Amino acid sequence: MAAFAVSGAGAQQPSGKVLVAYFSHSGNTREVARQISEATGGDLFEIVPATPYPTEYRAVVDQGKKEIEAGVRPALKNPVGDLSQYDVIFVGSPCWWATIAPPVATFLTSYDFAGKTVVPFMTHEGSGMEHSEADIRRFCPRSTVPDGLAVRGSAVRNSKDEVGRWVRTRLKNGF
């Protein structure tokens, strides 16, 4: 569980560093990640597959489904570096076929998150979190994984207040 400190203004902040890691295909998850980073002061890290996904909607949907069904863990373009400096890691993904996108699964299975708080957030167009939280808990069995935030993709541009309230509540309650 993450530790917290009270700043001079009285707002609670994690006492360790925060990382906001995300994969975004359309830009929605990137925007929510930016909002979380702004609310927490956390470092942003984009999870980028070594081979980009197709831009055409049907092609990416088909590829994502095949990868998820086969348990594919696509190679990533960029390593995160020293994860030991972070106590709280927000992990974001679009909801693809009821779970996290394969590059996020690769990220979660490539590092040791033991003792860290891994906070899920998802963008979707009606499915919400689906199995994402359970899957993240399975990938990070020695981490604290609290309930996450689901933001409808069509509402992302107007979600700053909702995201800010969610982050403040999580920080106040220690996740």
Side-chain angles (χ1 to χ4, degrees), residues 96-118:
W96 284 5
W97 299 100
T99 191
I100 56 176
V104 177
T106 299
F107 174 77
L108 292 171
T109 57
S110 297
Y111 298 98
D112 182 6
F113 292 91
K116 299 188 181 303
T117 300
V118 179

Side-chain angles (χ1 to χ4, degrees), residues 64-131:
K65 182 178 184 181
K66 287 176 188 171
E67 288 180 353
I68 289 166
E69 288 175 346
V72 170
R73 301 288 176 263
L76 301 181
K77 185 176 183 178
N78 51 343
V80 73
D82 183 13
L83 198 63
S84 69
Q85 64 182 311
Y86 299 103
D87 295 326
V88 177
I89 298 107
F90 288 84
V91 176
S93 176
C95 189
W96 284 5
W97 299 100
T99 191
I100 56 176
V104 177
T106 299
F107 174 77
L108 292 171
T109 57
S110 297
Y111 298 98
D112 182 6
F113 292 91
K116 299 188 181 303
T117 300
V118 179
V119 188
F121 65 97
M122 303 292 290
T123 55
H124 65 94
E125 281 305 335
S127 59
M129 296 296 282
E130 289 283 335
H131 309 143

